[in-house]
Amino acid sequence: MILAADTDIWRFQAHPEVWLLIAGAVVLAWYAVRVIGPNAVEPGTPIVTRRNKIAYVAAIGALWVASDWPMHDVSEEYLYSAHMIQHLMITFIVPPLLLVATPEWLARLVMSSDGRAGVWIRRLSHPVAAGVTFKIVIALTHLTYIVNTSVEVGPFHYAVHTVVFLASMMMWIPVVGPVPELRMGLAGQMVYLFLMSVIPTVPAGFLTFADGVLYDAYDHNVRLWGIGISADQQLAGFFMKIIGGVYLWTWIIVRFYQWSNETRGSTDLILVTKDGQDGGGDAADADLTFEDVQAEFEAAGPAPSEA
């Protein structure tokens, strides 16, 4: 079924709900830092770090780009591949940046085990629960009914994006969560991220090798940049599997080098300590030269003659 679409693709469309969301996020951050922070941290302790600030600005910027014109309009009205880029930003870019932007004191207030919200966040951010939930949400959001309804019904569209975003936040907590005890070890993070990279394989293959039109909402005569409906679906699968996979594997490679350096540092420390205990010296004792050996022989003198 071919639907009608507005031929003025690049017309400006205001999205005040997005502006309100961005403004609300900025106001909440300001309130947390200026009002709550001074009463929550010890005097002399920085309320936020430079790293927190940079990550927050980047997260808000990425969220704005993904949610406002023209990304919002192109992804919802013309190209499903643009819709996939939008989802990748909401799931893989914005959540980890927001978690890095959150100072530990604020995270502990939100995730307090004494409150109901904190208890549920801790349960849902457990690696098994977070991974399974994320997998289910990603699978459901690629169903034909969900995609078509999301494009056609505004409130449902925002509800879907909210669920995707929250599931992604829980998924990233074991990797970059601001509370150390909720993060996995580096080796565990590598395995976890590898499993997350496998998840998009099924829907990506479904999009790439599907016969015919999967989503009627994108089946119209207005083809942006001349991209046909089949090519659009294949591009969406490419973005999901290749671009998303490369992004997650970049995380895995970084974690591998961190784990390797950490392991090597621990091994070097053990060797130095063992050397000091066995020989009563330090690491410098290992630098033995020929001159040292010769001096020791000369100091010992000639061997005693036998009677």
Side-chain angles (χ1 to χ4, degrees):
M1 179 179 63
I2 299 178
L3 303 177
D6 196 313
T7 55
D8 187 7
I9 298 174
W10 299 109
R11 70 194 185 283
F12 174 76
Q13 297 187 63
H15 299 288
E17 69 282 2
V18 174
W19 305 340
L20 183 61
L21 172 66
I22 298 297
V26 172
V27 170
L28 285 176
W30 178 88
Y31 182 81
V33 172
R34 295 295 184 181
V35 179
I36 302 177
N39 299 315
V41 302
E42 296 292 335
T45 303
I47 297 175
V48 291
T49 64
R50 185 171 181 268
R51 182 169 180 258
N52 295 143
K53 295 177 182 178
I54 293 175
Y56 187 76
V57 171
I60 292 299
L63 181 61
W64 198 339
V65 169
S67 304
D68 205 357
W69 178 88
M71 176 69 78
H72 173 91
D73 308 285
V74 172
S75 66
E76 298 305 317
E77 298 180 30
Y78 300 101
L79 293 177
Y80 186 65
S81 52
H83 183 88
M84 186 61 66
I85 294 176
Q86 184 185 46
H87 270 224
L88 287 174
M89 294 181 69
I90 293 174
T91 56
F92 288 165
I93 304 297
V94 177
L97 283 174
L98 282 178
L99 290 171
V100 172
T102 305
E104 184 177 341
W105 61 265
L106 179 58
R108 290 192 179 279
L109 288 177
V110 175
M111 301 180 188
S112 173
S113 56
D114 297 332
R116 181 173 299 179
V119 170
W120 276 106
I121 291 175
R122 288 172 180 269
R123 289 177 179 175
L124 293 175
S125 63
H126 184 277
V128 175
V132 171
T133 301
F134 182 72
K135 181 176 182 178
I136 293 173
V137 169
I138 293 300
L140 290 177
T141 53
H142 288 86
L143 294 178
T144 301
Y145 173 80
I146 298 293
V147 174
N148 288 332
T149 306
S150 176
V151 173
E152 297 167 0
V153 182
F156 185 76
H157 161 76
Y158 286 107
V160 169
H161 276 203
T162 301
V163 171
V164 169
F165 174 75
L166 292 177
S168 302
M169 287 289 287
M170 296 301 105
M171 187 274 282
W172 281 102
I173 286 178
V175 180
V176 290
V179 179
E181 61 265 26
L182 297 183
R183 295 196 298 264
M184 306 174 70
L186 293 176
Q189 289 182 28
M190 288 188 286
V191 176
Y192 179 76
L193 289 170
F194 168 74
L195 294 175
M196 294 303 102
S197 71
V198 174
I199 289 174
T201 301
V202 175
F206 177 67
L207 288 167
T208 303
F209 301 106
D211 293 327
V213 178
L214 293 176
Y215 308 117
D216 290 337
Y218 293 94
D219 187 15
H220 46 69
N221 289 323
V222 182
R223 308 310 311 175
L224 181 59
W225 299 311
I227 301 176
I229 182 65
S230 297
D232 183 31
Q233 292 174 171
Q234 292 170 353
L235 272 176
F238 171 82
F239 290 146
M240 185 177 191
K241 179 56 183 175
I242 305 302
I243 304 301
V246 168
Y247 176 79
L248 289 176
W249 270 96
T250 302
W251 275 86
I252 293 172
I253 292 171
V254 171
R255 288 298 187 259
F256 173 77
Y257 279 106
Q258 291 175 337
W259 172 80
S260 178
N261 291 333
E262 183 181 273
T263 304
R264 184 167 60 249
S266 300
T267 303
D268 292 344
L269 179 61
I270 292 173
L271 290 175
V272 170
T273 304
K274 184 177 181 181
D275 181 72
Q277 291 174 345
D278 290 348
D282 53 27
D285 294 337
D287 299 330
L288 188 64
T289 65
F290 176 78
E291 288 76 10
D292 295 332
V293 175
Q294 187 177 22
E296 289 295 327
F297 274 113
E298 292 175 353
S305 59
E306 295 182 359

